[in-house]
Amino acid sequence: MAEVIAGVPAERGGSSLVFRGDAAQAADVVRRLLAGERGAVRDIVLLNAAALVAADGAPPTADLTAFLGKGVERAAAAVDSGAAADLLARWARATTRA
């Protein structure tokens, strides 16, 4: 199914990644993703973000694959521009204030 939706992670032949680990490992994965590391984690994060955009109430086009593809592009732009990292940093500051 993932190969059909927006072509992610079609280039990996449909392989997927299930991450398991402790909080430090998870934080490391997120930091590497936000620093620009490409791979299965990024592919799945972008696809999930695209689905969130679709679920947010924006009316999908007649072609759901193209609609999700646009969501993947928006998510990639947020990661690549540093906007996602900035948002995470603001969230961390807001949730750790005394």
Side-chain angles (χ1 to χ4, degrees), residues 41-85:
V41 170
R42 176 185 166 94
D43 291 347
I44 297 305
V45 166
L46 297 182
L47 181 57
N48 283 334
L52 178 63
V53 169
D56 190 33
T61 61
D63 182 355
L64 183 58
T65 301
F67 181 75
L68 289 174
K70 293 290 184 190
V72 167
E73 290 173 11
R74 287 179 57 193
V79 171
D80 295 342
S81 70

Side-chain angles (χ1 to χ4, degrees), residues 12-97:
R12 294 188 165 9
S15 67
S16 61
L17 173 73
V18 175
F19 178 76
R20 295 192 176 139
D22 62 20
Q25 291 170 316
D28 180 57
V29 169
V30 171
R31 283 187 197 99
R32 292 189 340 246
L33 165 74
L34 295 177
E37 184 174 300
R38 299 194 179 263
V41 170
R42 176 185 166 94
D43 291 347
I44 297 305
V45 166
L46 297 182
L47 181 57
N48 283 334
L52 178 63
V53 169
D56 190 33
T61 61
D63 182 355
L64 183 58
T65 301
F67 181 75
L68 289 174
K70 293 290 184 190
V72 167
E73 290 173 11
R74 287 179 57 193
V79 171
D80 295 342
S81 70
D86 290 343
L87 179 59
L88 179 60
R90 289 194 326 259
W91 181 313
R93 283 191 303 273
T95 58
T96 57
R97 290 184 183 155

